[in-house]
Amino acid sequence: MWLGPEEVLLAGALWVTERANPFFLLQRRRGHGKGGGLTGLLVGTLDVVLDSSARVAPYRILHQTQDSQVYWAVACGSSRKEITKHWEWLENNLLQTLSIFDNEEDITTFVKGKIHGIIAEENKNEQPQSEEDPGKFKEAELKMRKQFGMPEVEKLVNYYSCSYWKGRVPRQGWLYLTVNHLCFYSFLLGKEVTLVIQWVDVTQLEKNATLLFPECIKVSTRDNELYFSMFLNINETFKLMEQLANIAMRQLLDNESFLQDKSLPKPRKPLKNISALKRDLDARAKNECYRATFRLPKDECLDGHTDCTLWTPFNKMHIPGQMFVSNNYICFASKAEEACHLIIPLREVTIVEKADSSNVLPSPLSISTKSKMTFLFANLKDRDFLVQRISDFLQRTPSKKPCSRCLSSDALSSVVQEVPELPSSSPLAVSPTSALSNRPVSFSAGEVPTASQGLLKLFRRNSEELLGPKGAKEKMKEESWNIHFFEYGRGMCMYRTAKTRELVQKGIPENLRGELWLLFSGAWNEMVTHPGYYADLVEKSMGKYNLATEEIERDLHRSMPEHPAFQNELGIAALRRVLTAYAFRNPTIGYCQAMNIVTSVLLLYCNEEEAFWLLVALCERMLPDYYNTRVVGALVDQGIFEELTREYLPQLSEKMQDLGVISTISLSWFLTLFLSVMPFESAVVIVDCFFYEGIKFILQVSLAILDANVEKLLQCCDEGEAMTILGRYLDNVVNRQSVSPPIPHLHALLTSGDDPPLEIDIFELIKTSYEKFSNLKADDIEQMRFKQRLKVIQSLEDTAKKSVVRAVSSDIGFSIEELEELYVVFKAKYLMSCYWGNNRAAAARRDQSLPYLEQYRIDMEQFKELFISLTPWSCGTHTPVLAGRLFRLLDENRDSLINFKEFVTGMSGMYHGDLTEKLKVLYKLHLPPALNPEEAESALEATSYFTEDVTTEGNTTLCCLYLSWIWSCLAEEKGTSPQDYRYYLRMWAKEKEAKKETIKDLPKMSQEQFIELCKTLYNMFSEDPVEQELYHAIATVASLLLRIGEVGKKFSNRPMRKSEDCKANNTQDPVSEEESPTSEQSQNSAVEQQPQADHEDKTCGDAQPEKAQPENQTLGDGSGEGQGSPLQLLSDDETKDDMSMSSYSMVSTGSLQCEDIADDTVLVGCEGSSSAARYGSTIDTDWSISFEQILASMLTETALVNYFEKKVNILQKIKDQKKVERQFSSSSDYELSSVSG
């Protein structure tokens, strides 16, 4: 690349001059390339350690004048080819011009001006997005691509200086973190270390400190553990590595690839050495943290944050903290944990004004809302800019219609539709419809009323508890919350403090439960910003059926059947609508068991729309990935629970692991939030705290339950006993303050002996959990979630691999180890297409509901790459052609994609089986559909072909089926009815399931197809150690087969010309004396080998005779490979070795006698057509050969038999493929040795 001229004082230091002229020098860096001795080794090591190679390329061009001691660097290059191009340009364009100048200063000025002009011209043509990255970073990215052979689509995020510990020796070098790979390069005193690891292969990422490795990062894969240390900023590096690994896990989980955010605002100040991609990832991390802290919608993006203070009227103080501003919200978080959190939706803001500054209150900002609340912020550093940003966002905030639920208790009754309360003894008039009914269920709103408020209000039974002590307690709770609302505000803009959490722990009153669940979960924000969304979803999903709706119907009547609200159609229909609407909103999740239990409880306290948005908050934000097909989120939190048990209850942890109890209990606890294992009145208090605290509370309550049963659990002998103890404990967790009548708990009541069960108060359990385990932090849990997510997803991938291998192993000749290695290679090729492919079909979003075997599929280009590296039949430049044919043969459903089973079936055909099986694969590769025809043959030609085939080979089932179809088509044209087509259909149906493909089922091969087969064999043998013997053998076999085809043509043609009487008598004209010896010889040869071929015949895994037979009808020019005339097969142009064919005599088949077929003869013509047997002649369409004849002929040649029966180790092929998977730049002066991780 051209450089802005820079002054160089010492031109010879660390550089070697390779070319020179009066005005320029071309120099090479010492230590680069061959030679250099000890000085070269030292310079190369310094370049890597000090990163001078990122600033100074290995080649450069200096400008000089004779009398000046100062040099000017004008160009540099990473390869000799690049620098030579610049050098030649200078010689051709500047040397003659510079010789005209008399003054050396004018020469230097002219050169500098010319170089600046070239650079300006190049910069003008550059893409604008590349200008975002600083110059030094661009150079590092170019170096990374060259060093590790990465394509341009692979983006560098950042790079760091560090040491890689190889054994006990640290190798100082540079760690490059790209979107999809972790790469490391070191050059130390002549020894290179190159590592390339895909993020999807990382199973563990830890930052720890040991005696051997002081504060290092440990990167674990399935095969190795790598240690990196001596980072300048290890925390930043580790955080970035976590982000990239998380993106890779997300890709494995739901095929969600990384897309750079192009809408990021440019930094106000230029950032040194920070790429746009790194800024993007930093912004993503901040956005995720911001949304999680304040429970905001998933599309909310943080614009900025600043330090400030907030005036809190409830305690008359200015609380220090941070203000966060985004598109739709202003939020505040105090520095002291739980001192105060505040969320102000911009849709509620009416006035933003700057108040007068004073020494007591500098830079104040006042924000007023529609609910008559005013918030006073102060100590803002850049108040004017902040006000401008808030004003911009306010102008973009659309005005929303008021929602049906108002957060003031006075207006609640006036807005919500009045529905009369029904006594429990009087069921609704609507009769419930069975979920198992075969007829469709109508969900019309006219038939089933919408639940416009919580079902608990509609189905509250007259209870004396409302007038007793429990009722008084409930009234006191309501009054406490009303006082809290008065002091701290009500609605989304409420001040959330430690006082709020205390009230939640004491239980939310039933009348306020739905309202506060919506506020604390953040579901309220999404509901009011999407008016009418739920109603539209219900309308769109009404009457539509799929797998999710079937599962929903099955589980509807299992959802809290003991509660009267779900013993009638009103509750069942509401539950159906909410679950179905969510399944249509999020098809990735659809419906998962346990969603019905949680949703039924939500409907008791909320109307349908509110319950829907609470379900959205649960599934998509508060319990991420819990309710997908593999319950990944629940498994992740189960791993966290196990880790916390080891930390807090070490004496119990080992026992629980031995019994395997944690994995059993935690899923039911977490997925249903204890609703399925605890009495309803108690479990709903758990849900109260969960909506306020999140998963942290579920984990600490789970620990408290184990802690309360430690002694009993330690004495357990098996899993069943431990489950009994925990089940009995949970059954007897009671809520003595509940005003609702107790609902029968369907969980089996487990009691022992005559001892009455010991009741546990739910509020005491919650209090204990906070006292003992309240030091759990949300940030720590998120960190643990990342660690466990790596482990869980990789474990699921291993399970998927074993399932796929087990599914295909019975039909494939590969061993389990070989299949597992092939699966890894196959999956890696698919994933590579996801981030390096250009809109390939295989990179489309895969369907997680499909079986594991169908989830990864590759297209033809990817298959060709794998075939070239793994095939035992290397054919040089002909290999891609052969790969394309095999792909078409394997692609049975013609969707241009193949799955893993189809892939290994094709590979197995080449690696395993006897000579017959391998030749069958090769034979099929030269017939349609593998051999792509240039033009389709007419049905009449196909009929004559199959008629000939039937005459010579006998009636096969598939030929009959195809002929019946042809006859029916011809009959329709003539206006007559087809004869006996049912007979052929019955034959086909009868024999399809039992009959396996034999060599007799293979169709005959035309002359053109045979020539293509010979071309393939010729290319296949070109690099074999015994290629001369193989050439000799294939020439002999080809000569013999050409002659056999000529004889067979006469036998097949003559019966066709006979009358029907002759056909019935099966009479044939005797062959001429000239032909009989050859015919007899060929017939004897075929007969001798036929028993052996039949005995060894096996079916090929991919073959579908019913498809192959009609498609193999083409006899004309059907190769479609662009190989030219078939008679060019054995021409000198295509021979690799000139001597390989020189000893063979070229003769015409027309003048050849039987005794002329010698070992050194190659047939290039056809019987009876000597004039046509010339270079460039047309194909004889009547000529054909069968697989049995090819097999019998090849068995006569030992060299061919040995070639196809030799064993090839595919594991070694896979190992070699991994080494060359990323080809290093050919312009490099020395080869980089790849040290696989």
Side-chain angles (χ1 to χ4, degrees):
M1 59 184 292
W2 298 105
L3 299 175
E6 299 176 358
E7 190 173 320
V8 178
L9 295 177
L10 297 175
L14 308 181
W15 293 86
V16 178
T17 300
E18 294 194 340
R19 295 189 187 182
N21 61 42
F23 302 104
F24 298 101
L25 298 175
L26 190 156
Q27 296 185 325
R28 173 178 55 84
R29 184 81 166 172
R30 291 185 187 272
H32 186 85
K34 298 179 181 179
L38 180 60
T39 306
L41 290 178
L42 291 173
V43 173
T45 301
L46 287 173
D47 281 346
V48 172
V49 172
L50 302 178
D51 191 30
S52 59
S53 57
R55 295 188 297 273
V56 181
Y59 297 95
R60 71 179 183 183
I61 296 176
L62 301 180
H63 165 62
Q64 64 164 359
T65 52
Q66 293 181 354
D67 298 333
S68 174
Q69 299 297 318
V70 177
Y71 296 81
W72 298 86
V74 296
C76 67
S78 58
S79 66
R80 188 181 300 275
K81 181 179 178 181
E82 180 184 0
I83 203 68
T84 301
K85 181 180 177 182
H86 289 338
W87 177 263
E88 291 175 351
W89 188 91
L90 290 171
E91 284 190 328
N92 295 333
N93 294 276
L94 286 189
L95 277 187
Q96 188 173 0
T97 304
L98 295 179
S99 61
I100 300 174
F101 288 93
D102 296 330
N103 190 338
E104 291 184 354
E105 291 184 3
D106 294 341
I107 293 175
T108 302
T109 303
F110 179 81
V111 169
K112 290 165 70 175
K114 189 68 175 177
I115 299 300
H116 281 301
I118 294 173
I119 294 173
E121 186 66 25
E122 288 183 347
N123 290 340
K124 185 175 68 175
N125 297 328
E126 282 186 1
Q127 295 181 352
Q129 56 262 30
S130 64
E131 295 177 0
E132 295 180 2
D133 295 336
K136 183 181 176 183
F137 188 88
K138 290 181 190 176
E139 292 179 12
E141 187 171 40
L142 290 173
K143 176 188 171 187
M144 178 274 298
R145 292 201 185 114
K146 173 180 178 292
Q147 202 83 54
F148 303 103
M150 298 290 178
E152 289 190 8
V153 292
E154 182 69 357
K155 300 296 184 183
L156 178 65
V157 181
N158 214 347
Y159 62 104
Y160 303 93
S161 174
C162 69
S163 291
Y164 161 63
W165 291 80
K166 190 177 181 184
R168 296 188 176 182
V169 180
R171 299 299 183 97
Q172 183 67 26
W174 288 87
L175 183 71
Y176 296 88
L177 304 181
T178 72
V179 172
N180 302 295
H181 296 85
L182 178 152
C183 307
F184 176 82
Y185 177 73
S186 171
F187 179 85
L188 193 63
L189 297 178
K191 293 187 177 181
E192 286 181 313
V193 176
T194 303
L195 296 173
V196 178
I197 300 169
Q198 291 187 13
W199 289 116
V200 291
D201 292 333
V202 174
T203 58
Q204 195 173 12
L205 206 57
E206 289 183 303
K207 182 180 67 174
N208 50 27
T210 62
L211 293 175
L212 183 60
F213 308 121
E215 200 173 27
C216 66
I217 295 176
K218 175 185 172 184
V219 181
S220 302
T221 64
R222 289 178 177 84
D223 305 319
N224 295 287
E225 293 181 350
L226 311 174
Y227 293 88
F228 300 92
S229 64
M230 301 185 189
F231 290 93
L232 186 63
N233 190 338
I234 191 170
N235 292 326
E236 177 193 335
T237 309
F238 184 70
K239 183 179 177 182
L240 180 57
M241 292 169 79
E242 277 188 330
Q243 278 186 280
L244 294 170
N246 214 16
I247 291 172
M249 293 307 103
R250 180 57 56 185
Q251 186 182 58
L252 284 178
L253 184 61
D254 57 12
N255 209 40
E256 181 181 311
S257 58
F258 176 80
L259 293 174
Q260 186 176 351
D261 185 3
K262 301 292 186 181
S263 62
L264 277 179
K266 291 189 176 182
R268 299 171 67 187
K269 297 179 181 178
L271 301 174
K272 183 180 180 182
N273 205 29
I274 296 181
S275 67
L277 208 54
K278 176 67 165 59
R279 290 176 49 230
D280 183 5
L281 288 171
D282 289 343
R284 288 176 189 232
K286 291 178 180 178
N287 288 336
E288 288 173 7
C289 181
Y290 171 62
R291 290 191 292 261
T293 302
F294 299 103
R295 306 273 172 83
L296 299 178
K298 293 180 70 175
D299 57 352
E300 194 66 21
C301 294
L302 179 66
D303 186 71
H305 58 90
T306 182
D307 292 335
C308 67
T309 60
L310 171 65
W311 171 255
T312 51
F314 51 87
N315 60 2
K316 307 295 189 292
M317 290 178 61
H318 289 281
I319 299 179
Q322 282 191 317
M323 175 194 283
F324 301 85
V325 179
S326 60
N327 298 357
N328 301 293
Y329 300 90
I330 299 172
C331 301
F332 175 85
S334 59
K335 292 185 177 179
E337 189 177 4
E338 293 190 354
C340 182
H341 270 211
L342 179 65
I343 303 170
I344 308 174
L346 291 182
R347 64 178 181 272
E348 298 289 332
V349 173
T350 55
I351 299 174
V352 178
E353 59 181 348
K354 294 181 284 187
D356 295 334
S357 283
S358 65
N359 293 333
V360 180
L361 202 64
S363 303
L365 179 66
S366 173
I367 299 177
S368 301
T369 66
K370 296 175 183 177
S371 56
K372 310 301 182 186
M373 295 182 69
T374 301
F375 304 94
L376 186 61
F377 298 90
N379 292 284
L380 293 163
K381 293 182 180 178
D382 198 346
R383 184 176 61 166
D384 294 339
F385 177 76
L386 180 64
V387 170
Q388 182 61 46
R389 292 300 293 167
I390 294 175
S391 300
D392 293 342
F393 289 136
L394 280 172
Q395 290 177 0
R396 288 181 247 163
T397 302
S399 58
K400 299 290 181 183
K401 296 179 182 179
C403 191
S404 61
R405 178 195 275 270
C406 179
L407 289 185
S408 64
S409 57
D410 299 333
L412 182 63
S413 58
S414 63
V415 177
V416 176
Q417 177 184 352
E418 293 292 340
V419 178
E421 294 188 5
L422 299 175
S424 60
S425 58
S426 62
L428 290 177
V430 182
S431 60
T433 306
S434 171
L436 301 178
S437 173
N438 292 328
R439 65 185 182 82
V441 183
S442 176
F443 308 148
S444 165
E447 297 178 15
V448 180
T450 302
S452 56
Q453 57 181 303
L455 295 176
L456 202 62
K457 295 180 180 179
L458 303 180
F459 294 93
R460 188 193 301 277
R461 290 177 285 189
N462 295 325
S463 174
E464 297 179 357
E465 304 290 351
L466 293 174
L467 305 175
K470 291 185 178 179
K473 184 75 173 176
E474 185 78 359
K475 290 292 183 184
M476 289 176 62
K477 283 186 185 178
E478 290 185 14
E479 189 60 30
S480 297
W481 275 99
N482 287 329
I483 294 172
H484 185 80
F485 291 149
F486 180 77
E487 294 182 0
Y488 295 84
R490 187 170 187 174
M492 190 54 66
C493 300
M494 176 174 61
Y495 293 96
R496 306 176 194 206
T497 66
K499 177 68 173 176
T500 312
R501 191 184 72 176
E502 290 175 12
L503 286 176
V504 172
Q505 290 174 24
K506 293 176 182 177
I508 298 176
E510 289 190 352
N511 290 336
L512 297 175
R513 190 162 269 147
E515 173 189 331
L516 294 176
W517 282 0
L518 286 165
L519 289 181
F520 296 149
S521 66
W524 176 260
N525 286 320
E526 293 186 278
M527 185 173 70
V528 297
T529 53
H530 295 84
Y533 178 84
Y534 171 71
D536 292 341
L537 267 183
V538 170
E539 185 178 351
K540 290 177 183 176
S541 62
M542 192 179 298
K544 295 183 180 178
Y545 303 95
N546 52 31
L547 180 61
T549 58
E550 289 178 12
E551 293 176 346
I552 290 169
E553 287 296 321
R554 186 175 62 245
D555 287 347
L556 282 177
H557 291 274
R558 304 175 188 172
S559 309
M560 295 190 69
E562 67 276 14
H563 198 285
F566 298 99
Q567 294 171 358
N568 60 81
E569 187 61 20
L570 176 62
I572 293 296
L575 182 60
R576 178 189 290 120
R577 283 192 290 267
V578 173
L579 291 174
T580 306
Y582 186 78
F584 275 80
R585 167 188 166 87
N586 192 343
T588 304
I589 292 178
Y591 171 76
C592 176
Q593 284 190 344
M595 288 172 67
N596 60 317
I597 297 173
V598 175
T599 307
S600 60
V601 174
L602 299 178
L603 280 168
L604 290 177
Y605 298 99
C606 307
N607 65 38
E608 282 185 34
E609 184 177 13
E610 293 163 350
F612 170 79
W613 287 110
L614 277 170
L615 185 62
V616 169
L618 271 175
C619 296
E620 298 177 12
R621 290 189 286 108
M622 301 190 72
L623 297 176
D625 302 321
Y626 258 60
Y627 299 105
N628 58 25
T629 53
R630 296 191 279 183
V631 292
V632 172
L635 293 173
V636 168
D637 287 344
Q638 173 186 301
I640 295 175
F641 184 41
E642 292 178 1
E643 193 172 338
L644 292 173
T645 305
R646 284 194 295 271
E647 180 180 348
Y648 289 99
L649 304 170
Q651 75 279 17
L652 183 61
S653 174
E654 187 175 347
K655 181 74 174 181
M656 297 292 280
Q657 289 293 334
D658 293 340
L659 296 177
V661 174
I662 289 186
S663 60
T664 306
I665 61 175
S666 54
L667 282 181
S668 60
W669 293 2
F670 296 164
L671 279 169
T672 64
L673 304 176
F674 288 95
L675 289 165
S676 63
V677 296
M678 195 180 284
F680 169 74
E681 298 83 6
S682 304
V684 77
V685 182
I686 299 282
V687 178
D688 291 342
C689 298
F690 165 74
F691 277 123
Y692 188 80
E693 296 273 15
I695 192 63
K696 165 183 174 291
F697 177 75
I698 299 295
L699 291 169
Q700 71 183 35
V701 167
S702 302
L703 289 171
I705 293 171
L706 291 186
D707 183 59
N709 294 276
V710 167
E711 295 180 1
K712 294 179 181 179
L713 291 172
L714 287 174
Q715 296 173 5
C716 290
C717 299
D718 55 33
E719 179 185 1
E721 187 178 353
M723 293 296 296
T724 301
I725 291 171
L726 292 171
R728 183 187 305 118
Y729 180 87
L730 291 170
D731 274 335
N732 293 289
V733 175
V734 297
N735 181 1
R736 298 189 179 95
Q737 300 177 13
S738 175
V739 295
S740 298
I743 297 173
H745 185 41
L746 293 187
H747 191 272
L749 293 176
L750 303 167
T751 58
S752 59
D754 299 328
D755 298 334
L758 179 65
E759 291 186 345
I760 303 97
D761 186 77
I762 182 63
F763 297 104
E764 287 297 321
L765 177 62
I766 291 174
K767 181 180 177 183
T768 303
S769 73
Y770 274 101
E771 289 174 351
K772 293 188 175 182
F773 308 107
S774 61
N775 56 348
L776 282 177
K777 306 297 181 189
D779 292 342
D780 296 337
I781 291 174
E782 285 303 315
Q783 182 69 32
M784 294 166 75
R785 268 182 168 173
F786 163 75
K787 178 181 175 182
Q788 292 297 329
R789 191 178 293 116
L790 281 181
K791 189 183 299 183
V792 167
I793 292 180
Q794 295 293 13
S795 175
L796 289 172
E797 289 296 311
D798 290 341
T799 303
K801 178 175 70 176
K802 291 176 182 177
S803 299
V804 170
V805 168
R806 189 166 53 248
V808 303
S809 59
S810 59
D811 304 326
I812 305 298
F814 291 115
S815 66
I816 296 296
E817 181 186 4
E818 290 171 337
L819 284 172
E820 288 182 348
E821 288 296 323
L822 282 169
Y823 181 83
V824 170
V825 171
F826 184 86
K827 189 177 91 171
K829 185 60 65 177
Y830 165 83
L831 291 174
M832 197 172 293
S833 73
C834 291
Y835 46 76
W836 285 356
N838 295 320
N839 298 322
R840 290 181 175 179
R845 192 178 186 87
R846 73 179 192 270
D847 188 355
Q848 293 285 341
S849 63
L850 291 174
Y852 290 132
L853 188 60
E854 295 287 340
Q855 289 192 11
Y856 295 124
R857 295 183 295 168
I858 59 175
D859 61 16
M860 182 180 287
E861 291 304 315
Q862 297 164 308
F863 177 78
K864 284 182 179 180
E865 294 168 9
L866 286 178
F867 182 89
I868 291 170
S869 59
L870 298 179
T871 179
W873 297 344
S874 179
C875 302
T877 56
H878 193 65
T879 307
V881 175
L882 201 64
R885 293 176 184 171
L886 181 57
F887 182 88
R888 287 190 290 271
L889 183 66
L890 297 175
D891 184 20
E892 296 177 1
N893 59 0
R894 302 291 178 264
D895 63 349
S896 300
L897 296 172
I898 62 170
N899 60 28
F900 178 68
K901 183 176 182 179
E902 293 166 337
F903 169 71
V904 293
T905 299
M907 289 288 113
S908 181
M910 295 184 289
Y911 275 94
H912 296 285
D914 53 18
L915 173 67
T916 306
E917 292 300 314
K918 292 179 179 178
L919 283 179
K920 277 173 65 177
V921 174
L922 197 59
Y923 186 84
K924 289 180 180 180
L925 292 181
H926 297 82
L927 295 173
L931 195 68
N932 197 16
E934 287 185 357
E935 59 183 7
E937 297 292 325
S938 67
L940 190 60
E941 290 173 340
T943 305
S944 64
Y945 167 65
F946 277 101
T947 305
E948 176 185 340
D949 193 38
V950 169
T951 306
T952 57
E953 295 292 351
N955 291 337
T956 64
T957 303
L958 296 174
C959 286
C960 293
L961 176 64
Y962 188 80
L963 281 174
S964 68
W965 176 73
I966 295 293
W967 290 338
S968 63
C969 293
L970 294 175
E972 288 175 3
E973 292 178 7
K974 297 178 181 179
T976 61
S977 60
Q979 298 179 1
D980 293 333
Y981 71 94
R982 295 183 183 84
Y983 166 73
Y984 298 107
L985 292 176
R986 284 195 298 270
M987 282 182 60
W988 174 74
K990 181 179 178 181
E991 297 186 13
K992 178 186 174 185
E993 53 188 44
K995 185 174 180 180
K996 295 183 178 180
E997 183 191 49
T998 66
I999 58 176
K1000 288 186 178 182
D1001 295 326
L1002 295 171
K1004 285 191 173 184
M1005 181 176 279
S1006 68
Q1007 190 179 67
E1008 183 181 23
Q1009 293 162 352
F1010 175 70
I1011 295 298
E1012 289 294 334
L1013 174 62
C1014 291
K1015 286 181 180 181
T1016 300
L1017 290 169
Y1018 176 76
N1019 284 284
M1020 194 182 296
F1021 303 150
S1022 63
E1023 297 180 2
D1024 196 272
V1026 291
E1027 70 174 320
Q1028 294 300 322
E1029 293 180 37
L1030 290 169
Y1031 285 150
H1032 185 86
I1034 194 60
T1036 304
V1037 169
S1039 301
L1040 178 60
L1041 288 172
L1042 282 169
R1043 185 68 174 173
I1044 291 173
E1046 290 299 319
V1047 174
K1049 180 177 69 172
K1050 296 196 173 187
F1051 276 95
S1052 61
N1053 285 342
R1054 291 186 180 183
M1056 297 297 294
R1057 292 191 298 267
K1058 294 289 183 181
S1059 64
E1060 290 185 1
D1061 295 337
C1062 294
K1063 288 184 181 179
N1065 294 329
N1066 255 343
T1067 58
Q1068 295 184 353
D1069 292 341
V1071 295
S1072 63
E1073 290 181 4
E1074 179 182 351
E1075 295 167 348
S1076 59
T1078 306
S1079 174
E1080 187 175 345
Q1081 176 186 352
S1082 62
Q1083 295 290 336
N1084 289 341
S1085 174
V1087 170
E1088 288 174 4
Q1089 302 298 337
Q1090 187 63 39
Q1092 178 183 355
D1094 286 343
H1095 176 70
E1096 295 175 351
D1097 184 66
K1098 299 176 184 176
T1099 58
C1100 183
D1102 275 4
Q1104 285 191 343
E1106 65 269 23
K1107 290 185 179 180
Q1109 196 78 357
E1111 289 178 2
N1112 291 338
Q1113 57 187 310
T1114 306
L1115 290 176
D1117 183 14
S1119 68
E1121 304 295 341
Q1123 299 291 340
S1125 171
L1127 296 182
Q1128 297 176 22
L1129 165 64
L1130 301 176
S1131 66
D1132 291 339
D1133 295 339
E1134 290 191 25
T1135 57
K1136 182 179 179 182
D1137 188 347
D1138 292 340
M1139 297 299 294
S1140 62
M1141 298 301 298
S1142 60
S1143 61
Y1144 299 149
S1145 60
M1146 296 297 206
V1147 296
S1148 170
T1149 320
S1151 61
L1152 190 69
Q1153 305 298 326
C1154 178
E1155 58 270 15
D1156 292 331
I1157 304 178
D1159 290 341
D1160 59 350
T1161 303
V1162 177
L1163 284 171
V1164 296
C1166 302
E1167 175 73 20
S1169 56
S1170 57
S1171 61
R1174 296 287 182 263
Y1175 186 84
S1177 65
T1178 59
I1179 296 298
D1180 188 348
T1181 56
D1182 294 328
W1183 187 97
S1184 66
I1185 200 79
S1186 69
F1187 176 75
E1188 297 99 311
Q1189 292 165 333
I1190 292 177
L1191 175 63
S1193 302
M1194 285 200 170
L1195 286 171
T1196 62
E1197 293 294 332
T1198 306
L1200 294 176
V1201 173
N1202 292 339
Y1203 178 85
F1204 282 103
E1205 289 190 345
K1206 68 181 178 182
K1207 301 294 182 184
V1208 181
N1209 185 0
I1210 194 170
L1211 292 177
Q1212 184 61 42
K1213 286 267 188 183
I1214 293 173
K1215 186 177 180 181
D1216 296 339
Q1217 188 262 351
K1218 288 180 178 179
K1219 286 183 179 179
V1220 299
E1221 194 170 27
R1222 293 172 191 82
Q1223 293 291 341
F1224 292 107
S1225 175
S1226 58
S1227 61
S1228 177
D1229 288 282
Y1230 53 88
E1231 184 178 356
L1232 299 174
S1233 60
S1234 177
V1235 180
S1236 72

